[in-house]
């Protein structure tokens, strides 16, 4: 007779799926709705209350304006999983929170300190930008690293920092292109980022409870600066209530024939991002008022998006590239122009050394829908 055994889920390929299935079933049985726009989000809303729960592996964040339901849900989860209530959220997955009556500051100072210690950079001299102005990285320049897994792990940790450090996003995106065969110059550039973190450990994401619930976004593209692929980089950021809540820096998949085409493709990707955000906000009980202003510094891209007539400059663009036209016609967004020197998304398409002017600095913030008490559970 075969003896039955119990095995741990940790380390198994299906661990995340198996763990997720049980909490999902339990929460749905209690009347919570599973968001189709973010599979980690569950919510329960009535006319008088709203409660949201976010599940990441075996870590849970719980928030809402119904204290009675939150207390009852904690008891229910404890009966199901034997949870540990950590109280008010101060530290979660490497992200720390500082609270005020009208704002929350999310930062990763402890994570940065551990990273500096791990790579023996606690005593290095700080620098003012994540990438040096003279940095020109190539995929095949320099000696191959003897231990490429160290570089890959390092970049993974830097990538985790971009959850609260938007100033690192372009640098990390650029360094992530060399994960296949990392070389000595790539590692040196990555360690240069640590010198920047040494001097800026307190930067984070500022969340406020402003009554301004307007959403708008900025979109930009660089000038094919990658010497290996000649592909453009899309940079975008979304502002809610006058503060940033989302940002991205990503290399485009194909080579564009002009800067106008690259800007147009960036707009299309941005349209998809705003469509998802609109659905997610609806799950949170806050449908957005349309149209959502989208601000771009390319008049050519704006004209192409607003002009449905087929012409020579767009005959080679695939259907997905014209996605922005659909959203414009549906009334989800509106397009307007901004001068390049005032473009906030510029910080996601090139190094900070190329963006910032000593006489003119830009500051970014982010905001929340409302400041409710947030709890962490493991």
């Amino acid at each position: 007779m075969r003896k039955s055994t119990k095995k741990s889920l940790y380390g198994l390929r299906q661990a995340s799926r198996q763990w997720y299935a049980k909490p999902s079933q339990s929460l749905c049985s209690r009347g919570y709705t599973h968001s189709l726009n973010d599979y980690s989000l569950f919510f329960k809303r009535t006319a008088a209350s709203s409660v949201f729960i976010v599940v990441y592996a075996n870590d849970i964040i719980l928030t809402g304006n119904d204290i009675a339901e939150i207390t009852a849900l904690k008891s229910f989860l404890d009966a199901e999983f034997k949870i540990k209530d950590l109280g008010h959220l101060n530290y979660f997955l490497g992200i720390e929170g500082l609270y005020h009556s009208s704002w929350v500051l999310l930062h990763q100072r402890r994570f940065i300190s551990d990273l500096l210690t791990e790579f023996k950079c606690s005593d290095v001299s700080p620098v003012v930008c994540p990438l040096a102005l003279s940095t020109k990285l190539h995929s095949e320049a320099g000696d191959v690293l003897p231990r490429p897994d160290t570089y890959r792990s390092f970049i993974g940790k830097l990538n985790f920092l971009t959850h609260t450090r938007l100033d690192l996003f372009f640098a990390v995106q650029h360094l992530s292109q060399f994960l296949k065969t990392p070389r000595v110059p790539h590692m040196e550039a990555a360690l240069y980022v640590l010198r920047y973190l040494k001097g800026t450990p307190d930067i984070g994401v500022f969340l406020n409870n402003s009554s301004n619930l307007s959403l708008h976004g900025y979109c930009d593209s660089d000038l094919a600066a990658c010497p290996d692929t000649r592909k453009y980089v899309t940079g975008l950021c979304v502002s809610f209530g006058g503060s940033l809540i989302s940002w991205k820096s990503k290399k485009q998949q194909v080579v564009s024939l002009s800067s106008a085409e690259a800007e147009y493709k960036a707009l299309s990707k941005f349209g998809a991002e705003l469509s998802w955000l609109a659905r997610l906000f609806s799950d949170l009980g806050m449908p957005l008022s349309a149209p959502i202003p989208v601000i771009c510094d390319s008049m050519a891209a704006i004209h192409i998006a607003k002009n449905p007539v087929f012409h020579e400059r767009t005959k080679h663009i695939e259907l997905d590239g014209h996605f922005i036209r659909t959203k414009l016609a549906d009334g989800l967004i509106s397009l307007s122009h901004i001068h390049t020197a005032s473009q906030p998304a510029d910080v996601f398409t090139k190094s900070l050394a190329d963006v910032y002017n000593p006489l003119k600095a830009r500051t970014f913030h982010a905001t929340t829908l409302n400041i409710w008490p947030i709890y962490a559970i493991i």
Side-chain angles (χ1 to χ4, degrees), residues 71-346:
T71 303
L73 181 58
K74 288 180 181 180
S75 301
F76 171 77
L77 292 174
D78 186 56
E80 290 282 320
F81 305 106
K82 299 301 178 183
I83 64 171
K84 181 188 296 183
D85 187 354
L86 300 180
H88 209 245
L89 181 64
N90 291 304
Y91 186 83
F92 186 79
L93 298 177
I95 300 177
E96 302 174 71
L98 297 176
Y99 293 87
H100 187 266
S101 58
S102 59
W103 53 261
V104 173
L105 177 67
L106 300 179
H107 64 94
Q108 294 172 277
R109 181 169 183 170
R110 188 188 307 180
F111 186 86
I112 292 174
S113 177
D114 294 341
L115 197 59
L116 290 171
T117 301
E118 179 182 354
F119 287 91
K120 299 178 177 58
C121 293
S122 300
D123 299 325
V124 296
S125 58
V127 293
V128 296
C129 288
L131 289 178
L133 186 60
S134 58
T135 300
K136 301 294 182 182
L137 298 178
H138 297 266
S139 59
E140 298 182 357
D143 297 330
V144 178
L145 285 176
R147 294 187 56 187
D149 55 314
T150 303
Y151 179 84
R152 294 165 186 155
S153 175
F154 186 16
I155 299 303
K157 293 176 180 179
L158 290 178
N159 189 58
F160 181 71
L161 274 174
T162 59
H163 292 309
T164 61
R165 297 296 300 265
L166 58 90
D167 52 331
L168 298 179
F169 221 121
F170 174 79
V172 175
Q173 176 271 142
H174 187 54
L175 293 171
S176 298
Q177 301 173 27
F178 311 107
L179 294 177
K180 182 178 179 180
T181 310
R183 298 174 181 268
V184 173
H186 307 150
M187 190 64 179
E188 291 176 348
L191 292 174
Y192 192 88
V193 176
L194 282 185
R195 294 180 59 188
Y196 172 72
L197 291 173
K198 170 68 176 180
T200 59
D202 299 321
I203 295 179
V205 176
F206 181 75
L207 311 173
N208 66 71
N209 60 350
S210 170
S211 58
N212 180 5
L213 303 181
S214 63
L215 185 77
H216 64 278
Y218 298 89
C219 184
D220 195 19
S221 176
D222 73 340
L223 298 175
C226 178
D228 296 320
T229 64
R230 308 307 297 171
K231 293 180 179 179
Y232 290 70
V233 173
T234 294
L236 57 89
C237 56
V238 183
S239 174
F240 183 66
S243 305
L244 291 188
I245 59 171
S246 177
W247 48 86
K248 181 178 294 186
S249 176
K250 187 176 180 63
K251 182 179 288 188
Q252 296 181 2
Q253 295 182 347
V254 297
V255 177
S256 298
L257 301 183
S258 65
S259 60
E261 180 186 343
E263 296 275 6
Y264 182 65
K265 289 179 180 178
L267 279 175
S268 294
K269 294 299 181 183
F270 198 20
E273 181 80 8
L274 290 177
S275 298
W276 170 76
L277 278 175
R279 297 193 303 268
L280 184 61
F281 272 60
S282 180
D283 287 344
L284 297 175
M286 296 193 64
L288 299 173
S289 58
I292 301 170
V294 174
I295 304 169
C296 174
D297 60 4
S298 172
M299 289 298 300
I302 293 175
H303 289 322
I304 293 173
K306 290 183 176 181
N307 180 16
V309 179
F310 180 85
H311 51 79
E312 291 292 328
R313 296 187 66 180
T314 59
K315 64 165 52 178
H316 62 285
I317 299 178
E318 299 289 343
L319 181 63
D320 61 341
H322 296 298
F323 178 79
I324 190 67
R325 285 184 182 174
T326 304
K327 296 306 173 183
L328 190 62
D330 292 342
L332 176 66
I333 66 170
S334 64
L335 291 175
S336 58
H337 181 260
I338 189 175
H339 193 275
T340 301
S342 304
Q343 172 64 278
D346 209 27

